[in-house]
Amino acid sequence: MRPRPTSTEPVATAPDVHIEVKEPPRTPKQIARARRKAAAKRVWREYRKNTMGMAGLIILGFFVFVAIFAPLLASSCGLDPTCPSTGPQLHAPSLKYPLGTDDLGRSVLTLTIWGTRISMIVGLVSTAITILIGVTIGLIAGYYGAWRETVLMRLTDWFLVIPFLPLAIVLATLLGPSFYTVIFVIAITSWPSAARVIRAQVLSLKTRPYVERARALGASDWHLVTRHILPNVGPLIFANTVLTVAVAILYESTLSFLGLGDPLHTSWGTILENSFGAGAPFAGNWWWVVPPGLAIVLVVLSFTMIGYALDDILNPKLRAR
Amino acid sequence: MSLNGRRKGPWVGGTGILVAAVMLATASFAGIAGAQSATPSPAGKSTFIYGVTAPNSSMNPLVGYLGIDYTIWSLEYNLPIEFATKDFGADLEHSIVTSVETSSDNMSFTYHMRSGLKWSDGQPFTANDVAWTLNFYKESNISNYSADLAIFKSAEATDDATFVIHTDQPTSVFNGQSVWMYEFILPEHIWSTIDEPKKFENVPAVGSGPWVVTQQKPGDFVRLERNPNFWGTQVGLEPHVDVIIEKVFNDENQMAAALQRGEIDFGFFDSANILNSLKTKPNIKTWGAQIPLFDELAFNSGSAFQTDKAGGFVPHGDGIHATSDPAFRRAVAEAIDKQTLVDKVYGGYATVADSPVQPGATTGNWDPPADQALNFNLDKAKADLTAAGYTDTDGDGVVNDPKTGENVVLRYYTRTSDQNTIKTAPFVKSWLEQIGVGVKVFAVSSGKLTTIIESGDYELFHWGWFPNPDPNYILGIFTCEQRAPKPGVYGNNDSFFCDPQYDQLYQQQLTATSTQARVDIVHQMQQILYEQQPYIMLAYTNYLEAYRTDRFTGYTTQPEGVGDLLATWGPFGFIGIRPVTGEGASAAKSEGIPGWVWIAIVVGLAVVIGGIMLGRRRISDEDRV
Amino acid sequence: MSTRRYLISKVLQAILTLAFVLAFNFFLFRAVGDPVTQLLRGHSGISAQAVLQLQRQLGLDLPLPQQFVHYVKETFEGHLGYSYFYNLPVSQVIAGRIWPTILLIGLSTLASTALGIWIGIRQGWRRGSKYDQGMLAFTLFTYSMPEFWFGLLIIMAFAVGVGPFPALFPTGGYETTGAGYTGMAHVVDVLNHMVLPFFVLTLSYLGEYSLIMRSSLLETLGEDFIITARAKGVRENRVLYGHAVPNALLPTMTVTILQLGFVLSGVITIELIFNWPGLGLLTATSVDARDFPVLQGLFLLFSASVIVANLVADLLYSYLDPRVRAA
């Protein structure tokens, strides 16, 4: 089996990155970049062969497109019940309203398109914060070890056992429903698993020969972390990110459904909450319930499939024999 | 050696069927149960089940505060004088009190009771219980009752069937011509022995009404059973139902489904969409009851600018100056299209409102004369705004306050627990922006909004009240001393309205010595509120009700013709209902598939699955060697 | 490390974690503001004296460390405070809700693990087959579904009825209200009400278990002892059930137990939409009512159950897999 690209390849370890080298043009930095580029290319080549991964990527691409171009796809005026484009209330799908209308006469298609934005933003931003906290804690704990590790890992373990949803609910209830609360709550409750994974990886990287060599040559902690450790936990962070987004989007919808989302923003979760509150399930207004839910499933599915495919490629244990 | 991709068919099918089978097996098992549960309740007892959408706050009449709590208490206890079914008037024919005499100074009122009354535990129910309860409420300053007992001094029982109420000032309100006292009379022999009455669960209860609570599971159900000692049979009040169950549904979809399946007989709903859908189902009738219930947009009418110190008031809050100007509030009121809100937000189950005293109130309702009415007219609203000095002086599209020069931007609060408030916001925002008033919408929890209101840090919010039939309480909330005196202290006067003339009238209606004089004063007060618009009254919202027609009948409305079918003021609605008998009566509750069909499905599935699994195992063993 | 020391350290860790949760819970809810103001919300005309009395009663007139001691003591005595909304002791409110949740979670977890493991084994064994791919798509789909959304669809189909098809199952609760069934009839009645939430929960969590079982089996199949067994000519079926599955089951069972704590909280939306009167529904309604004492009690209960589940998983793991102790 070919060794994993991150593990054994020699790495330029010049103690001083300011060395002026005119010819040849390849500085250590450039070599490292080229090497990583090649590694990424290899992963991509394998990824392309993975049907599931590609399917996930295509679905995700579609929703990213919708989120970015929402204003072109549907006028934001359609979110306002006083907008002239609103139609009859609770109208079943028709040519003019392909996914019907809600109880204020707004097109469910418009709502779902704009909901994509909020749901994606919440998913991505909260994941970014999660990863930031997770990486910081994981790095510090893994790199420095000793008492820092003990304290941080104990804290992580504690947060890990606190059940996610009840904590999120309690926090959101205490802080009041808003867009930012949801992001904050998701981030604050989902960092521990990221921290653990990163720490484990850092621990194993720390003892790699090239890292030890760099340290012996007098590289500072900052240099070691930013040049050797972080770039190498990168792929792991990436794989972790992908799955975290999926979870974050699911939790956004759950929190919103429980009435802890921001009722003034249209997300998929708030559309579902509104439809539930307005009796759509009983009255049989399926067009108001199915689209936002299906959108959640598809986006979460796409992230999960991408994460799964990456795991398949990056985790040698799972390779087909 | 590759294990990949060889076999197909039975594997997929097998698992799929197995998954389905396990699900269906449970389903079938339960389906048989469903068929069994079709048998009616044991021992021929008739059980009436009504559904509500939120749990009770308490079974204890000292602490509960929700409408559904009052419904339970009115089945359990008696008021000194009951509300008439017809019009909320005094119904002395069906009350424990039969007549009232007023002293010449209008400060003492002698109540004559029926004799031989008993509590549900067999103890005698006498004037002592009434006097004890009223004094107890007054002394403990129970918030549910303090408004009614404001000028009440004391009560004494002169014999077993007579009690006398003394007041601080001359008044007409205790004269028995209307139901003033919304005080549930408690059994002294139970409540006087309790150390912490406010922590008393009161289940099972001892009461004097037609049914008493025997069991509750908080958030799930409350069970009431017939009181064998109910005195009402003397006066022709004969209940026809043995057991009443209030079933708590936390979601209306489930409640509607339960009504459709016949699991419950009656339901109180919130969603117009569900009610409209129920309307189309067989054996179900729906009803939008007009009861005292309204929604308003309340202004901060000057928490930071008022100087009147009544109630220890200290000016506080950062509400802007414009909303303290009645002219500004009137102009804003003209920019609200109440009819559109009634149609679109309330789904038609509401009527346009103009006074906090509802049309069915015991004092009658005041309507603004045509020439004074503030009708929806954006042009006129804009013109009135300009006339009052609110013009856009800096050209940014938002009018400026003539006094402070600042842009007039209203912080407008909606409540997350009430979808209607959230749905109303975009309409109001759009209208106000058309007349140049800026709006910033927030959605917060009711608790949070209470804090914001106390602090005076708002300009506008959307909330509602559920007043008593007598207007005293709802008019009282506009008096100066009910304002939150400082941040963090609760006050009923959530618009910070304060007008000395109004306060004077409020005292006068309490102490007017004739009922008609009081009605006149109450109307004057309504006129002041309309002219000053501390509240923009949006709508009298209906109580949405639906019931099955095949199991119980005999529903009446209170007030007559338009009002509530069941949660009436007093027990009469429940006393009237009786089981449907003879043809048309449906004993079976379940509409499910008969038991034998389920058994057939289970057996069939078992055979199919068994066959597949056995067959597959054999093949795979051979195949894998 | 000896088995005994291992066990003791695990139990100690669990106790420490519990202590952390207690402290966290205390400060989390103290951070919101004055509990007395919240208690008095909506009650006008309360005297300063009454406020003082209430504060004393809740121990709020003490300095913070003493308050904490007071709180811990009260918690261990089972006093979890007084519900704002129900006006009853929190412990009483919660106690009535435990059994329905245990029943629903217990049965649905049994079903979803059994089915999930069964599917996972077949998938792992035939990696890349049509079956594997089909089931993978299916389980990934159910895994990606918000449970409550699936529940809403199920309600539309089976509790309300679609078109000419009647509503098949009762909803809205735990038993037929007012029917007064006893014995077997009662059991059957409860099961009947449980069908839909059970179905939704089982299907929602099945994916998780099958995915874990699948990858766990894949890892095991790559190990040396499997290759050795095959080289020795052990029959394939025997390789699978005699060697691979027992080893792959271990991590799956651990995850299942860990998951149990989380499922406990995951039923919040399901109980809400099916009106199942358990802890999840209580959580949802307490959120609506902003009933902080009840939420605080529930949070403690949920956390404690996850900690206990963790401990059980750890102990079980060490019992079943001696390597863990050696490590």
Side-chain angles (χ1 to χ4, degrees):
Chain A
M1 190 192 293
R2 205 170 30 187
R4 294 179 65 188
T6 49
S7 52
T8 53
E9 278 181 56
V11 170
T13 51
D16 185 359
V17 289
H18 302 296
I19 287 175
E20 291 282 318
V21 185
K22 298 243 159 52
E23 291 297 331
R26 285 166 70 83
T27 64
K29 239 179 174 175
Q30 283 171 327
I31 294 168
R33 202 177 295 140
R35 180 178 50 78
R36 284 192 193 108
K37 217 170 145 189
K41 259 189 183 160
R42 267 200 304 282
V43 171
W44 172 239
R45 217 177 300 129
E46 282 207 43
Y47 187 92
R48 262 200 325 217
K49 282 186 267 172
N50 189 312
T51 330
M52 192 164 73
M54 286 312 285
L57 211 55
I58 290 168
I59 301 174
L60 181 61
F62 171 75
F63 279 100
V64 168
F65 174 84
V66 170
I68 293 173
F69 295 103
L72 300 178
L73 297 169
S75 157
S76 68
C77 170
L79 300 174
D80 184 347
T82 60
C83 174
S85 77
T86 55
Q89 296 174 298
L90 290 168
H91 200 270
S94 62
L95 272 179
K96 194 165 174 222
Y97 304 99
L99 295 178
T101 61
D102 75 353
D103 64 339
L104 289 174
R106 298 176 296 183
S107 161
V108 176
L109 181 63
T110 305
L111 294 175
T112 310
I113 287 173
W114 281 86
T116 313
R117 265 200 171 180
I118 299 292
S119 295
M120 292 285 242
I121 289 174
V122 170
L124 292 173
V125 175
S126 54
T127 302
I129 300 175
T130 301
I131 295 296
L132 195 71
I133 304 176
V135 166
T136 311
I137 292 195
L139 264 181
I140 293 175
Y143 185 79
Y144 289 105
W147 64 271
R148 288 189 183 90
E149 180 173 23
T150 316
V151 170
L152 288 176
M153 281 303 111
R154 179 91 356 243
L155 191 72
T156 309
D157 283 348
W158 283 339
F159 266 94
L160 210 55
V161 293
I162 293 180
F164 186 112
L165 191 59
L167 177 58
I169 286 175
V170 163
L171 280 175
T173 313
L174 293 178
L175 296 172
S178 100
F179 181 70
Y180 303 101
T181 303
V182 172
I183 291 178
F184 169 75
V185 160
I186 294 175
I188 208 73
T189 47
S190 47
W191 62 265
S193 54
R196 278 199 114 172
V197 175
I198 304 288
R199 170 185 155 266
Q201 188 74 4
V202 171
L203 275 182
S204 88
L205 280 171
K206 208 168 66 167
T207 54
R208 294 282 156 82
Y210 69 91
V211 178
E212 301 207 321
R213 192 157 15 128
R215 196 203 303 274
L217 286 168
S220 67
D221 285 348
W222 178 250
H223 176 88
L224 283 174
V225 167
T226 54
R227 291 298 144 102
H228 300 304
I229 309 253
L230 256 189
N232 286 316
V233 289
L236 190 76
I237 295 176
F238 186 65
N240 208 300
T241 307
V242 167
L243 288 173
T244 309
V245 180
V247 173
I249 288 178
L250 265 182
Y251 274 103
E252 188 276 332
S253 72
T254 304
L255 287 176
S256 295
F257 185 72
L258 288 171
L260 294 168
D262 192 331
L264 304 177
H265 281 100
T266 301
S267 78
W268 292 329
T270 54
I271 302 174
L272 283 174
E273 192 220 349
N274 286 346
S275 71
F276 180 63
F282 180 77
N285 313 127
W286 55 268
W287 58 87
W288 195 6
V289 177
V290 174
L294 208 57
I296 295 172
V297 176
L298 287 176
V299 166
V300 173
L301 189 65
S302 72
F303 278 111
T304 314
M305 291 198 299
I306 293 170
Y308 231 68
L310 282 177
D311 198 36
D312 241 12
I313 292 162
L314 297 176
N315 185 353
K317 272 186 164 178
L318 291 177
R319 297 214 161 171
R321 289 154 310 276
Chain B
M1 176 171 50
S2 166
L3 297 167
N4 293 349
R6 281 286 160 79
R7 195 190 314 274
K8 44 187 182 265
W11 283 92
V12 180
T15 314
I17 290 173
L18 189 73
V19 174
V22 173
M23 306 299 171
L24 263 171
T26 350
S28 319
F29 183 47
I32 299 164
Q36 280 179 357
S37 72
T39 43
S41 307
K45 276 197 171 184
S46 59
T47 303
F48 177 80
I49 307 175
Y50 69 100
V52 295
T53 49
N56 291 79
S57 64
S58 181
M59 293 290 109
N60 180 337
L62 311 185
V63 286
Y65 51 86
L66 295 175
I68 55 173
D69 302 334
Y70 276 79
T71 303
I72 303 268
W73 300 328
S74 51
L75 298 181
E76 226 169 27
Y77 301 109
N78 286 104
L79 306 177
I81 298 174
E82 303 287 346
F83 291 103
T85 308
K86 187 165 155 271
D87 57 0
F88 295 131
D91 187 353
L92 291 166
E93 270 174 53
H94 300 114
S95 300
I96 55 170
V97 166
T98 51
S99 64
V100 184
E101 288 158 26
T102 307
S103 70
S104 55
D105 62 357
N106 292 306
M107 286 173 68
S108 295
F109 303 86
T110 307
Y111 286 69
H112 298 285
M113 285 171 66
R114 287 173 210 283
S115 50
L117 310 183
K118 276 184 184 165
W119 293 101
S120 56
D121 62 354
Q123 296 288 318
F125 174 15
T126 68
N128 285 309
D129 291 301
V130 184
W132 180 85
T133 305
L134 295 176
N135 290 330
F136 171 66
Y137 286 160
K138 176 73 180 178
E139 284 155 20
S140 333
N141 196 14
I142 303 294
S143 57
N144 282 351
Y145 310 113
S146 55
D148 291 358
L149 300 177
I151 56 169
F152 169 96
K153 195 162 93 194
S154 65
E156 57 172 324
T158 51
D159 62 53
D160 273 1
T162 313
F163 63 93
V164 182
I165 288 175
H166 302 287
T167 60
D168 292 331
Q169 294 162 47
T171 181
S172 69
V173 295
F174 289 104
N175 67 11
Q177 289 179 28
S178 69
V179 183
W180 171 266
M181 283 187 282
Y182 208 155
E183 272 71 58
F184 296 104
I185 303 305
L186 306 175
E188 180 187 358
H189 67 281
I190 302 283
W191 289 79
S192 62
T193 60
I194 295 164
D195 290 339
E196 283 188 272
K198 282 191 179 176
K199 288 204 167 175
F200 185 46
E201 188 183 356
N202 198 24
V203 178
V206 173
S208 59
W211 294 273
V212 286
V213 173
T214 55
Q215 192 192 357
Q216 86 152 331
K217 213 173 147 202
D220 192 5
F221 67 86
V222 176
R223 183 184 173 96
L224 298 105
E225 285 181 32
R226 197 150 156 198
N227 169 8
N229 299 323
F230 179 50
W231 58 273
T233 46
Q234 296 173 22
V235 292
L237 296 174
E238 181 74 50
H240 307 283
V241 175
D242 300 305
V243 176
I244 293 176
I245 291 174
E246 181 216 67
K247 169 78 185 159
V248 181
F249 289 84
N250 297 283
D251 151 42
E252 289 180 72
N253 292 285
Q254 292 293 350
M255 187 157 87
L259 186 70
Q260 186 190 337
R261 290 179 51 83
E263 290 168 40
I264 59 172
D265 306 302
F266 189 102
F268 294 107
F269 292 87
D270 295 321
S271 154
N273 185 24
I274 284 192
L275 208 69
N276 289 336
S277 174
L278 276 170
K279 208 187 275 177
T280 65
K281 312 281 182 193
N283 294 328
I284 288 177
K285 271 201 175 141
T286 62
W287 177 246
Q290 295 177 26
I291 56 160
L293 196 63
F294 69 77
D295 267 19
E296 87 280 352
L297 280 180
F299 283 107
N300 177 350
S301 46
S303 67
F305 307 99
Q306 287 170 3
T307 49
D308 191 305
K309 304 232 173 343
F313 180 80
V314 181
H316 60 278
D318 61 7
I320 63 169
H321 178 263
T323 55
S324 66
D325 177 359
F328 175 81
R329 300 199 296 258
R330 287 167 59 87
V332 169
E334 288 175 318
I336 307 294
D337 184 356
K338 299 173 182 178
Q339 191 58 50
T340 295
L341 295 178
V342 164
D343 294 340
K344 292 223 164 182
V345 175
Y346 298 94
Y349 289 101
T351 45
V352 167
D354 41 47
S355 165
V357 179
Q358 71 287 352
T362 49
T363 55
N365 156 274
W366 171 88
D367 283 320
D371 59 325
Q372 291 174 25
L374 302 168
N375 294 323
F376 173 63
N377 185 335
L378 286 175
D379 295 334
K380 183 159 187 302
K382 180 81 200 161
D384 286 354
L385 212 53
T386 308
Y390 296 86
T391 48
D392 183 9
T393 50
D394 51 8
D396 61 356
V398 179
V399 297
N400 298 77
D401 190 309
K403 212 165 167 191
T404 63
E406 288 165 354
N407 270 347
V408 177
V409 180
L410 311 182
R411 283 167 297 176
Y412 170 16
Y413 286 90
T414 61
R415 290 175 304 127
T416 49
S417 54
D418 184 348
Q419 275 296 322
N420 285 346
T421 68
I422 291 169
K423 287 192 215 162
T424 301
F427 291 97
V428 170
K429 183 174 177 2
S430 152
W431 292 321
L432 293 197
E433 280 171 354
Q434 287 179 54
I435 61 166
V437 174
V439 173
K440 209 162 178 278
V441 182
F442 299 89
V444 294
S445 69
S446 302
K448 174 96 182 152
L449 182 53
T450 307
T451 319
I452 292 171
I453 295 169
E454 287 165 0
S455 317
D457 297 337
Y458 70 98
E459 277 79 39
L460 200 62
F461 68 83
H462 186 168
W463 210 329
W465 287 93
F466 191 170
N468 292 341
D470 188 282
N472 178 53
Y473 185 85
I474 197 67
L475 290 173
I477 69 161
F478 296 98
T479 54
C480 296
E481 66 173 9
Q482 297 249 14
R483 291 169 300 173
K486 57 180 192 247
V489 179
Y490 179 78
N492 263 335
N493 189 344
D494 49 12
S495 62
F496 289 94
F497 181 72
C498 182
D499 178 346
Q501 192 201 346
Y502 180 90
D503 281 16
Q504 211 175 356
L505 289 170
Y506 181 74
Q507 287 308 317
Q508 282 174 18
Q509 61 89 25
L510 272 177
T511 56
T513 50
S514 100
T515 304
Q516 186 52 47
R518 178 167 180 249
V519 168
D520 292 340
I521 299 169
V522 165
H523 285 189
Q524 278 183 56
M525 295 171 75
Q526 294 177 62
Q527 183 163 5
I528 292 178
L529 290 179
Y530 191 78
E531 283 164 1
Q532 305 230 10
Q533 294 283 322
Y535 276 7
I536 299 177
M537 293 294 301
L538 294 178
Y540 300 121
T541 48
N542 291 356
Y543 221 21
L544 308 186
E545 306 175 343
Y547 58 101
R548 290 194 72 86
T549 52
D550 56 348
R551 306 198 59 236
F552 289 91
T553 178
Y555 293 103
T556 46
T557 50
Q558 180 188 34
E560 201 170 37
V562 295
D564 196 334
L565 291 168
L566 207 52
T568 44
W569 285 256
F572 304 134
F574 281 88
I575 289 176
I577 52 171
R578 56 184 180 276
V580 172
T581 48
E583 290 298 304
S586 112
K589 277 190 167 188
S590 172
E591 295 173 7
I593 295 171
W596 65 268
V597 178
W598 285 110
I599 296 174
I601 293 175
V602 178
V603 173
L605 271 171
V607 170
V608 171
I609 294 158
I612 288 174
M613 290 195 62
L614 284 175
R616 198 190 47 67
R617 171 115 322 152
R618 215 168 29 245
I619 299 169
S620 63
D621 271 1
E622 289 161 8
D623 204 38
R624 283 204 194 134
V625 176
Chain C
M1 204 193 286
S2 76
T3 312
R4 207 181 150 151
R5 274 190 60 195
Y6 175 79
L7 292 183
I8 290 174
S9 90
K10 280 291 164 196
V11 171
L12 275 178
Q13 265 177 37
I15 291 172
L16 244 167
T17 313
L18 208 59
F20 167 75
V21 167
L22 262 176
F24 185 69
N25 205 7
F26 175 79
F27 287 103
L28 191 62
F29 283 87
R30 283 297 178 289
V32 213
D34 185 2
V36 168
T37 329
Q38 289 178 10
L39 259 180
L40 299 180
R41 200 181 71 212
H43 297 264
S44 56
I46 259 178
S47 65
Q49 204 181 356
V51 173
L52 262 176
Q53 195 190 338
L54 202 64
Q55 281 182 329
R56 203 159 305 139
Q57 208 175 311
L58 295 169
L60 294 169
D61 52 345
L62 305 170
L64 209 62
Q66 278 184 29
Q67 272 190 48
F68 182 64
V69 172
H70 180 84
Y71 159 79
V72 173
K73 203 172 132 245
E74 290 277 294
T75 305
F76 277 102
E77 285 169 3
H79 300 301
L80 298 172
Y82 212 73
S83 158
Y84 296 174
F85 184 77
Y86 294 104
N87 292 296
L88 292 171
V90 169
S91 45
Q92 185 187 341
V93 174
I94 290 181
R97 303 300 194 92
I98 294 179
W99 169 242
T101 295
I102 290 183
L103 187 69
L104 180 60
I105 286 183
L107 287 184
S108 64
T109 301
L110 272 181
S112 56
T113 39
L115 276 168
I117 289 173
W118 196 74
I119 292 171
I121 292 174
R122 265 141 195 84
Q123 276 183 285
W125 189 238
R126 323 231 111 216
R127 186 181 209 231
S129 67
K130 283 245 170 68
Y131 174 82
D132 182 25
Q133 287 174 351
M135 283 321 282
L136 200 58
F138 171 72
T139 49
L140 281 177
F141 190 85
T142 57
Y143 177 75
S144 306
M145 240 171 7
E147 303 99 326
F148 63 87
W149 176 70
F150 181 50
L152 292 184
L153 298 185
I154 291 295
I155 287 175
M156 289 173 94
F158 294 107
V160 177
V162 179
F165 301 103
L168 289 181
F169 294 102
T171 55
Y174 171 73
E175 58 199 341
T176 305
T177 312
Y181 292 124
T182 48
M184 198 55 205
H186 180 248
V187 173
V188 169
D189 183 43
V190 170
L191 287 176
N192 193 24
H193 280 79
M194 208 171 68
V195 171
L196 295 183
F198 166 83
F199 178 75
V200 170
L201 273 179
T202 304
L203 214 65
S204 300
Y205 286 103
L206 174 144
E208 201 137 0
Y209 301 124
S210 78
L211 290 173
I212 292 164
M213 188 63 206
R214 178 182 179 270
S215 54
S216 170
L217 188 70
L218 284 181
E219 282 192 33
T220 315
L221 285 175
E223 305 236 2
D224 294 343
F225 70 94
I226 297 286
I227 297 166
T228 316
R230 278 182 174 151
K232 283 198 299 192
V234 177
R235 290 202 330 179
E236 285 292 280
N237 227 29
R238 176 103 190 95
V239 169
L240 178 61
Y241 288 103
H243 298 264
V245 168
N247 280 286
L249 217 50
L250 207 58
T252 314
M253 291 313 287
T254 317
V255 172
T256 306
I257 294 171
L258 291 182
Q259 193 69 18
L260 208 61
F262 285 92
V263 178
L264 184 64
S265 55
V267 292
I268 291 170
T269 51
I270 293 301
E271 287 191 1
L272 171 66
I273 62 172
F274 287 103
N275 201 42
W276 186 259
L279 298 169
L281 181 60
L282 185 62
T283 310
T285 49
S286 301
V287 166
D288 263 0
R290 300 297 189 267
D291 194 343
F292 291 117
V294 170
L295 280 177
Q296 192 171 5
L298 284 168
F299 183 62
L300 196 64
L301 182 66
F302 285 141
S303 305
S305 58
V306 177
I307 291 168
V308 171
N310 263 291
L311 185 64
V312 170
D314 272 340
L315 299 185
L316 208 67
Y317 205 76
S318 75
Y319 176 74
L320 293 174
D321 189 352
R323 279 177 301 179
V324 173
R325 268 169 291 162

